Amino acid sequence: MTPLVDALRSALAREADPDAAPTMQAYMKSTMPFRGVPQPVRARILRECVQASPPPGPGALAAVAEALWDGAEFREERYLATALCGFRGYARWPDADWLPRYRHWLVSGAWWDHVDEISSRLVGPVLRADRGAVTPVVRQWATDPDPWLRRASIICQLMSKEDTDLDLLTDAIEASLKDDGFFLRKGIGWALRQHARTDPLWVREFVEAHPELSPLSRKEALKHL
């Protein structure tokens, strides 16, 4: 699938905005440079390139995504890697066997833009599709020393609604209650706030039962209640 990788990188180069790139890099506090290509343009690039050279199966999809991620010289290449895995007809191809790949991306990406996208849009669907295989892995992430894996375990069910595994969400949150890291406290509040749209009573009871929640987490959790 080298032609698809090359096409995506070439398209990013054509659409590059040297004036926007430094601002995007500074905002994201990224050591990796940007091309300066905004999300709507990246979406168009991905759509056009995939239509011209579609991956024929999960193996080819994984090869393209890995090449984009591990060989990235610009941050947008990694954005395309994750977007490709959740792209329309391909979103059902990744399964539990992809978790080591996603773990690698979470740890090497190590910032909220990558972690949030991978957690909610890639890990979450795999979790809902195969709870028996994926739940134990997410539980391991919840107690991992890496804070980004713990954030992933907390927010990977943002889109699960009624299918949220409340035991898993509880365990993931409780594992990081004593951590004062901003992104973990914010992630806890975000996960609770999102689930409050589905089950506000459960969220209220959870907050009341956990007085050790940080003020930030508590504020976020109750924001719309």
Side-chain angles (χ1 to χ4, degrees):
M1 292 306 297
T2 300
L4 178 54
V5 176
D6 291 343
L8 289 167
R9 287 177 173 156
S10 296
L12 286 175
R14 286 195 305 272
E15 298 288 350
D17 183 344
D19 293 329
T23 302
M24 294 172 70
Q25 183 176 358
Y27 172 75
M28 205 52 66
K29 300 179 181 179
S30 175
T31 56
M32 184 179 291
F34 276 76
R35 282 287 195 188
V37 182
Q39 193 280 331
V41 178
R42 296 198 304 269
R44 174 175 57 78
I45 288 172
L46 183 61
R47 182 176 62 253
E48 292 174 351
C49 290
V50 166
Q51 287 176 347
S53 184
L61 181 72
V64 172
E66 288 179 348
L68 288 169
W69 185 280
D70 291 327
E73 295 182 7
F74 297 91
R75 202 173 187 92
E76 289 95 337
E77 294 175 58
R78 290 187 166 183
Y79 292 156
L80 287 180
T82 55
L84 178 64
C85 295
F87 187 75
R88 294 189 299 203
Y90 309 139
R92 294 185 179 181
W93 287 358
D95 56 21
D97 291 338
W98 286 52
L99 288 176
R101 179 174 298 109
Y102 291 160
R103 187 188 193 282
H104 165 59
W105 291 356
L106 289 165
V107 173
S108 58
W111 198 238
W112 64 266
D113 57 337
H114 291 314
V115 171
D116 294 1
E117 187 77 4
I118 295 164
S119 302
S120 62
R121 297 189 179 276
L122 300 184
V123 176
V126 173
L127 171 63
R128 291 189 290 274
D130 190 352
R131 295 189 182 278
V134 179
T135 299
V137 176
V138 175
R139 287 190 187 280
Q140 291 176 354
W141 291 358
T143 58
D144 196 276
D146 189 287
W148 297 107
L149 285 176
R150 282 186 278 144
R151 179 176 168 94
S153 74
I154 293 166
I155 67 172
C156 66
Q157 298 192 81
L158 287 175
M159 299 181 181
S160 294
K161 298 182 180 180
E162 293 85 358
D163 292 330
T164 299
D165 182 337
L166 294 176
D167 289 338
L168 178 60
L169 178 60
T170 297
D171 291 345
I173 291 174
E174 289 181 343
S176 290
L177 279 179
K178 295 181 180 180
D179 196 299
D180 61 359
F182 171 80
F183 287 105
L184 280 168
R185 290 184 284 124
K186 187 77 170 180
I188 290 171
W190 186 14
L192 291 172
R193 185 182 77 234
Q194 187 70 10
H195 190 62
R197 300 176 184 273
T198 299
D199 193 344
L201 179 59
W202 185 89
V203 172
R204 282 189 181 277
E205 291 177 345
F206 184 93
V207 171
E208 292 174 0
H210 293 81
E212 66 273 40
L213 278 168
S214 72
L216 174 59
S217 298
R218 183 180 300 272
K219 178 182 177 181
E220 289 292 317
L222 301 176
K223 191 170 184 178
H224 300 304
L225 297 180

